[in-house]
Amino acid sequence: MEEDFDLPAGDGMMNEDMDLPDESPILKVGEEKEIGKQGLKKKLLKEGEGWDTPENGDEVEVHYTGTLLDGTQFDSSRDKGTPFKFTLGQGQVIKGWDQGIKTMKKGENAIFTIPPELAYGASGSPPTIPPNATLQFDVELLSWTSVKDICKDGGIFKKILVEGEKWENPKDLDEVTVKYEALLEDGTVVAKSDGVEFTVKEGHFCPALSRAVKTMKKGEKVLLTVKPQYGFGEKGKPASADEGAVPPNATLQITLELISWKTVSEVTDDKKVIKKILKEGEGYERPNDGAVVKLKLIGKLQDGTVFLKKGHDNEDEVFEFKTDEEQVIEGLDRAVMTMKKGEVALLTIAAEYAFGSSESQQELAVVPPNSTVYYEVELVSFVKEKESWDMNTQEKIEAAGKKKEEGNVLFKAGKYAKASKRYEKAVKYIEYDSSFGEEEKKQAKALKVASNLNNAACKLKLKDYKQAEKLCTKVLEMESRNVKALYRRAQAYIQLADLDVAEFDVKKALEIDPENRDVKLEYKTLKEKMREYNKKEAKFYGNMFSKMNKLGPVDSNVSIPLFMEN
């Protein structure tokens, strides 16, 4: 029977699309259910392990016994004493097998009842299987080897030889260390390394290596089948001192092991603060804004000059500071808040996030203007700033007041983005006040109003007019006659070109406070904007009518919509 499984079905139905549900049916031992909509049935005899099931392309190993419905046995791998191996979903077996075995877990035993349409059809498989025969197979899934088409174009197939650890995979910026051996299809070794490090994005040897490592876990070992488009293409590669020649259009077999990698991440969106993890930290906790952190620290210039060293020669001289308080350069401040306890990282910090365009005298050397600096940092320990859920009501109000005052200082110094963060944090402390007493609610409301208004002023400075409008609206929901909120919202609406709505806010503010000089000036600005807008609109329609007139007389039967009512 084994040779029968290696042939497609007699009626050609092997090439049809498989009609399978998205998920395997959930069965109890002894229960039978239909799979898909073509009459395939599965009865569970023994539960399997875990939750993984094989996928198309995987190499599976099974034991089976095949019988007709009357109990006549026509084949059995068990009787032969050798498990049967095949590639799932490639048409190497009857369609009922390809569909059914995809639903099995490792070690699972099930009976599949397979209608003729998913077996050998009207032709049967003489002499053992008659035409239009429904078959039953007692199948045990012994194991499978995962084989994945990792680029989804048939260019690289990955067969896992040794499973890796955990679940993380390297990313483009990470630096990986691998072992590999590349062979031609005839077994000729063309390249080999017992340990090479490279950045995933930059790659090594051929494009397949960087593509493959992004799908691998630490310690994973795989066999790659690499088609020319991910190898050396139509041109091939000449021999070199360390590597053999690769002929044009050659398919390669590459054994690849991912030994380890260093995680590299962009701390800032503009890619000017980069962190490379040299040693993983503990747990999941990271410092928050206002945390007290203790570091071992070495600061260097690009030429290797050390300008700062703390905690290495004397354990008592660790470097301590409070995050988000401008006690250190911004790049170091932001990077440390991404670290875990015990983590060791190498930071690359551009001048904008370091000492800027000025010379800076540090402990051991001078940092020249516009210098990129490098820090090797170990986060020894940290104490997080108390979060709002750990505070009682009075503590929340005091913390909110403190953050608001910090925001005010930063605003006056022109540091609007940092001030905005302080105001946001102030509001967060007192956001949920349902458990507050009446007096505490009054205090909380006053702080929310002041913080949101001040934050709106920050957003206007930062040209984030949408957020400014939202913050003012929040204030007006609490105090509908708040002149500052109406005034600032009008400023935002003017910048967003919502002139009618801006006029409504300005007029309401003047009703409440007719002598307010700032509001009067804003009304003047608004009127000027409206005049400019009306001129542009008049010019636009004037040009349009002029073009229409040049086209000649208008057909009297064609109606032209009027732009203004009489």
Side-chain angles (χ1 to χ4, degrees):
M1 178 62 191
E2 191 168 321
E3 63 273 15
D4 291 333
F5 278 91
D6 290 329
L7 294 171
D11 58 6
M13 286 186 293
M14 299 296 295
N15 297 321
E16 292 177 13
D17 290 333
M18 293 185 182
D19 183 17
L20 274 176
D22 291 337
E23 295 181 2
S24 305
I26 298 168
L27 294 172
K28 296 174 183 174
V29 173
E31 189 178 5
E32 185 175 58
K33 280 189 180 178
E34 187 171 343
I35 299 170
K37 297 173 184 176
Q38 292 179 279
L40 175 65
K41 292 179 181 176
K42 174 184 175 181
K43 182 177 181 180
L44 185 64
L45 301 182
K46 188 183 85 171
E47 284 275 9
E49 304 167 14
W51 58 85
D52 284 340
T53 55
E55 297 176 9
N56 285 343
D58 290 354
E59 295 176 1
V60 298
E61 184 175 43
V62 300
H63 261 315
Y64 70 89
T65 301
T67 59
L68 303 177
L69 284 182
D70 64 6
T72 303
Q73 179 177 310
F74 54 80
D75 196 12
S76 174
S77 66
R78 295 179 177 99
D79 290 350
K80 295 171 186 173
T82 305
F84 177 55
K85 295 181 181 180
F86 70 98
T87 302
L88 191 61
Q90 303 299 305
Q92 294 178 5
V93 293
I94 59 173
K95 191 173 179 183
W97 265 50
D98 268 337
Q99 289 191 13
I101 289 170
K102 277 177 74 172
T103 71
M104 298 182 77
K105 300 169 187 170
K106 185 180 177 184
E108 183 178 317
N109 192 187
I111 291 177
F112 292 100
T113 302
I114 304 177
E117 294 79 12
L118 300 179
Y120 294 95
S123 305
S125 183
T128 51
I129 298 172
N132 296 310
T134 295
L135 309 178
Q136 284 193 325
F137 286 93
D138 179 333
V139 180
E140 182 182 4
L141 178 57
L142 302 174
S143 65
W144 75 87
T145 302
S146 177
V147 179
K148 302 224 181 293
D149 178 359
I150 60 177
C151 296
K152 308 297 183 192
D153 61 1
I156 307 172
F157 283 98
K158 181 184 90 167
K159 178 178 177 179
I160 296 176
L161 304 177
V162 178
E163 290 284 349
E165 306 167 13
K166 299 185 180 177
W167 59 89
E168 300 99 336
N169 308 116
K171 305 290 188 295
D172 277 339
L173 297 175
D174 294 347
E175 293 180 4
V176 295
T177 302
V178 303
K179 288 182 184 177
Y180 72 94
E181 184 178 51
L183 291 79
L184 301 178
E185 286 184 292
D186 64 5
T188 304
V189 176
V190 292
K192 185 175 181 178
S193 173
D194 288 330
V196 62
E197 185 175 84
F198 62 92
T199 301
V200 174
K201 194 174 184 179
E202 292 172 3
H204 181 75
F205 181 61
C206 71
L209 261 61
S210 59
R211 294 277 189 150
V213 293
K214 286 169 73 172
T215 72
M216 295 171 70
K217 302 168 188 170
K218 184 181 176 184
E220 186 173 317
K221 188 174 181 180
V222 301
L223 176 62
L224 305 175
T225 301
V226 180
K227 293 297 170 71
Q229 66 264 38
Y230 294 103
F232 294 94
E234 295 177 359
K235 294 181 179 179
K237 183 182 82 73
S240 64
D242 302 323
E243 297 176 353
V246 177
N249 297 310
T251 294
L252 300 171
Q253 297 287 324
I254 302 176
T255 305
L256 177 66
E257 182 180 354
L258 178 55
I259 299 167
S260 64
W261 77 86
K262 298 182 182 89
T263 302
V264 179
S265 57
E266 295 163 349
V267 176
T268 56
D269 293 336
D270 57 9
K271 304 178 184 179
K272 291 188 174 178
V273 181
I274 305 293
K275 182 182 81 162
K276 176 163 72 174
I277 296 176
L278 305 179
K279 181 189 158 202
E280 290 286 344
E282 308 164 12
Y284 302 97
E285 290 272 291
R286 294 176 172 87
N288 59 355
D289 293 350
V292 176
V293 298
K294 292 184 178 180
L295 313 174
K296 288 183 181 178
L297 190 69
I298 300 174
K300 294 180 182 179
L301 300 177
Q302 199 159 12
D303 64 4
T305 302
V306 175
F307 62 82
L308 182 66
K309 190 172 184 180
K310 291 283 186 183
H312 286 273
D313 301 325
N314 185 342
E315 293 286 333
D316 296 329
E317 285 188 3
V318 291
F319 188 66
E320 183 178 317
F321 69 93
K322 197 172 186 182
T323 62
D324 203 37
E325 292 284 345
E326 299 191 301
Q327 295 177 7
V328 294
I329 59 170
E330 187 180 356
L332 177 60
D333 202 353
R334 290 175 67 165
V336 165
M337 284 194 279
T338 71
M339 296 177 70
K340 302 171 187 173
K341 183 183 175 184
E343 183 178 318
V344 180
L346 180 65
L347 309 178
T348 303
I349 304 174
E352 295 94 315
Y353 293 91
F355 300 99
S357 56
S358 304
E359 181 177 280
S360 178
Q361 176 64 55
Q362 293 295 297
E363 194 173 89
L364 302 176
V366 172
V367 176
N370 301 310
S371 293
T372 295
V373 294
Y374 305 85
Y375 286 93
E376 188 176 307
V377 182
E378 180 181 345
L379 180 54
V380 177
S381 66
F382 62 90
V383 178
K384 292 178 83 170
E385 183 171 75
K386 208 171 183 181
E387 300 283 5
S388 61
W389 53 81
D390 292 324
M391 297 178 178
N392 61 37
T393 301
Q394 198 51 46
E395 285 175 326
K396 287 178 184 177
I397 290 169
E398 286 171 9
K402 185 183 172 190
K403 289 295 172 193
K404 189 201 81 170
E405 291 308 317
E406 288 173 7
N408 292 350
V409 171
L410 289 163
F411 186 90
K412 285 170 187 169
K415 296 173 180 177
Y416 305 119
K418 285 182 177 292
S420 176
K421 278 181 70 179
R422 293 295 195 280
Y423 294 132
E424 283 170 13
K425 194 145 191 182
V427 172
K428 275 187 180 175
Y429 280 122
I430 49 176
E431 200 167 9
Y432 304 107
D433 59 2
S434 56
S435 62
F436 290 15
E438 284 307 310
E439 186 56 38
E440 291 160 338
K441 280 184 179 176
K442 281 182 190 175
Q443 290 175 296
K445 181 183 172 184
L447 282 166
K448 280 186 212 172
V449 166
S451 297
N452 281 328
L453 277 173
N454 293 354
N455 197 4
C458 292
K459 297 298 184 186
L460 288 170
K461 293 282 189 184
L462 295 165
K463 297 183 167 50
D464 188 351
Y465 303 117
K466 280 276 185 192
Q467 283 304 314
E469 179 267 319
K470 284 180 183 176
L471 288 160
C472 292
T473 300
K474 280 184 180 180
V475 172
L476 290 165
E477 284 167 0
M478 292 184 276
E479 292 182 355
S480 62
R481 292 171 62 80
N482 189 295
V483 173
K484 277 188 182 177
L486 289 164
Y487 165 63
R488 285 178 190 162
R489 191 167 72 171
Q491 287 181 299
Y493 281 139
I494 289 169
Q495 295 301 326
L496 293 166
D498 288 336
L499 303 183
D500 292 340
V501 191
E503 186 176 28
F504 178 85
D505 278 355
V506 169
K507 283 182 174 178
K508 188 169 181 183
L510 285 172
E511 279 174 25
I512 299 163
D513 186 359
E515 300 306 315
N516 190 303
R517 185 171 170 275
D518 289 336
V519 180
K520 282 181 178 178
L521 286 170
E522 203 59 40
Y523 200 15
K524 193 176 176 184
T525 303
L526 175 62
K527 287 291 184 188
E528 187 57 41
K529 287 264 184 188
M530 291 178 95
R531 274 195 293 273
E532 286 173 22
Y533 177 77
N534 289 334
K535 276 181 192 173
K536 282 179 186 173
E537 208 172 39
K539 188 178 178 183
F540 170 77
Y541 290 125
N543 289 340
M544 190 174 74
F545 281 122
S546 173
K547 284 175 185 174
M548 287 170 71
N549 288 333
K550 283 177 185 175
L551 292 172
V554 179
D555 190 331
S556 59
N557 294 320
V558 178
S559 62
I560 297 174
L562 296 174
F563 291 96
M564 295 183 67
E565 292 181 11
N566 293 327

